[in-house]
Amino acid sequence: MSKKQYYIFNNETNTYEPVKEARRSWPLIIWVLFSSFVLGAIIISVVYFFFGSPHDEYLRLENEMLEAKYNILSRKVDDALVVLEDIEQRDDNLYRVVMQADPIGRKVRDAGIDNAARYAELMNMSNGRLVTTVTRQVDKLSRNLYVQDHSFNELVDLAHQQEERLKHVPAIQPVMEKDVKRVASMFGWRMDPISGRRTFHNGIDLSANRGVPVYAAGNAVVKFTGWKQGYGRVVELDHGFGYVTLYAHLHTIDVKKGQSVTRGQQIGKVGSSGKSTGAHLHYEIIYRGHNIDPINYFFLDLSPEEYDRMIQEVSNQ
């Protein structure tokens, strides 16, 4: 089929003249198309370079949100750790002191937290330092809460045992107040009456007449009876709960090793055996392997007036 011929009216000649088909300039068209493509590519590259793709923008916004959430979580965990640290301080310095339990060391509370290998992979993540810091904080909070919960359970058990424990605590004067002439020597540093040298006195000396009864200061099991160098005739009682009491320079021993005794039960008589300058009872309280001042444990046996008088007498030495 032949192409259709189009005509146009020429006003100058007053005739219809055939329309000549314009010749297409293919090089120009190609150049325009190529330029448009290059320009479009440049525009798209610039947009991607400065603004990124929609997907990249979505990821960037998501990372910013995650970072903000991690920062908020970090502050909340820090606040929780401050509160927990206050509870731990009260636990070590009040609750466990009252129950005479050893404080929990920082190493026990934080055991395993400083293991850097646990967090090595986290450092390779996006925002690895922040993620690692928050993870350490959460691990510390979790570990410390576990230890504190265990501590409170232990304190509850100790509270349930309190009545039984009080029966065993050495809480009376081992020689009756009416039989005590004076406190011959106090707990602490003193001039040894025999050697004349300054030595540490691990107990308290109660001066009394030979043969005056000596009583168990709390419920216990007899741990040792017999002679000890310097102490003479000795009775040692194991009260449990970390307490041991020692009664030295006795004239007689009235109990046997392994025997159970109750507070106020006679275990011997005052004497002057061993390294002694006169009849008296040398009395020691050992708690968890350390000697402590016995005078602080006479609270069940002395009236306030008697206790004050004994404290004053000791202070004047």
Side-chain angles (χ1 to χ4, degrees):
M1 177 181 283
S2 61
K3 290 185 179 180
K4 195 171 184 176
Q5 182 65 55
Y6 293 94
Y7 294 87
I8 186 170
F9 183 77
N10 189 332
N11 291 324
E12 294 180 356
T13 62
N14 292 323
T15 61
Y16 285 94
E17 295 178 355
V19 177
K20 295 181 180 179
E21 183 177 0
R23 296 182 63 184
R24 296 175 181 175
S25 179
W26 289 107
L28 178 61
I29 293 173
I30 292 173
W31 185 86
V32 170
L33 290 175
F34 177 76
S35 299
S36 299
F37 175 77
V38 172
L39 180 61
I42 292 173
I43 292 173
I44 292 173
S45 298
V46 170
V47 171
Y48 268 61
F49 180 79
F50 288 101
F51 303 103
S53 69
H55 180 68
D56 290 340
E57 179 66 10
Y58 172 78
L59 290 178
R60 185 182 67 80
L61 292 175
E62 187 177 55
N63 283 337
E64 287 181 357
M65 291 179 61
L66 286 174
E67 184 175 353
K69 289 180 179 179
Y70 266 109
N71 282 318
I72 293 172
L73 177 60
S74 178
R75 289 194 293 271
K76 288 184 176 180
V77 174
D78 275 340
D79 292 341
L81 285 171
V82 170
V83 175
L84 181 57
E85 186 177 353
D86 179 65
I87 294 173
E88 291 171 347
Q89 290 291 330
R90 282 183 284 168
D91 181 36
D92 282 343
N93 300 319
L94 178 59
Y95 310 142
R96 301 184 73 81
V97 170
V98 170
M99 294 298 176
Q100 296 188 332
D102 290 333
I104 300 174
R106 193 76 256 169
K107 288 185 178 180
V108 175
R109 293 187 185 275
D110 293 340
I113 294 174
D114 292 329
N115 184 359
R118 296 179 56 186
Y119 309 102
E121 292 185 2
L122 297 178
M123 290 299 295
N124 297 324
M125 297 176 58
S126 176
N127 295 320
R129 187 176 298 277
L130 176 61
V131 173
T132 301
T133 298
V134 175
T135 304
R136 282 179 182 272
Q137 290 173 307
V138 173
D139 285 350
K140 177 179 175 64
L141 180 62
S142 176
R143 169 65 185 177
N144 290 171
L145 281 173
Y146 170 80
V147 174
Q148 191 57 55
D149 178 67
H150 186 274
S151 174
F152 281 152
N153 289 337
E154 181 185 355
L155 291 174
V156 169
D157 290 340
L158 289 174
H160 290 159
Q161 299 171 12
Q162 184 75 353
E163 183 177 355
E164 184 64 22
R165 186 179 73 86
L166 287 175
K167 294 178 182 178
H168 289 75
V169 172
I172 66 169
Q173 187 173 296
V175 177
M176 293 183 66
E177 176 63 16
K178 67 180 182 64
D179 293 326
V180 175
K181 295 180 178 180
R182 62 188 179 89
V183 179
S185 188
M186 59 182 288
F187 178 87
W189 290 98
R190 65 165 189 174
M191 296 300 294
D192 188 283
I194 295 179
S195 68
R197 292 179 297 181
R198 190 169 183 266
T199 58
F200 192 86
H201 192 230
N202 286 326
I204 188 171
D205 291 345
L206 302 174
S207 179
N209 292 329
R210 188 187 303 270
V212 165
V214 174
Y215 303 102
N219 293 2
V221 174
V222 179
K223 179 181 179 181
F224 172 85
T225 62
W227 189 275
K228 279 193 173 185
Q229 183 66 34
Y231 286 94
R233 294 185 184 88
V234 169
V235 171
E236 284 187 21
L237 302 182
D238 186 348
H239 299 266
F241 303 98
Y243 287 101
V244 172
T245 52
L246 179 145
Y247 312 77
H249 305 305
L250 298 175
H251 178 60
T252 61
I253 294 174
D254 300 337
V255 289
K256 296 180 180 180
K257 182 178 179 180
Q259 178 181 341
S260 294
V261 296
T262 57
R263 177 179 289 141
Q265 180 176 336
Q266 182 173 325
I267 59 174
K269 294 184 177 70
V270 172
S272 186
S273 57
K275 181 184 172 183
S276 173
T277 58
H280 71 283
L281 174 71
H282 173 80
Y283 174 59
E284 296 182 12
I285 297 179
I286 301 98
Y287 178 65
R288 297 185 183 273
H290 299 283
N291 285 81
I292 54 180
D293 193 345
I295 202 170
N296 296 325
Y297 283 78
F298 292 165
F299 53 86
L300 290 185
D301 198 43
L302 301 177
S303 68
E305 293 78 14
E306 290 171 336
Y307 187 82
D308 287 343
R309 186 170 64 251
M310 177 171 283
I311 294 293
Q312 186 65 37
E313 184 177 345
V314 168
S315 300
N316 292 332
Q317 292 187 18

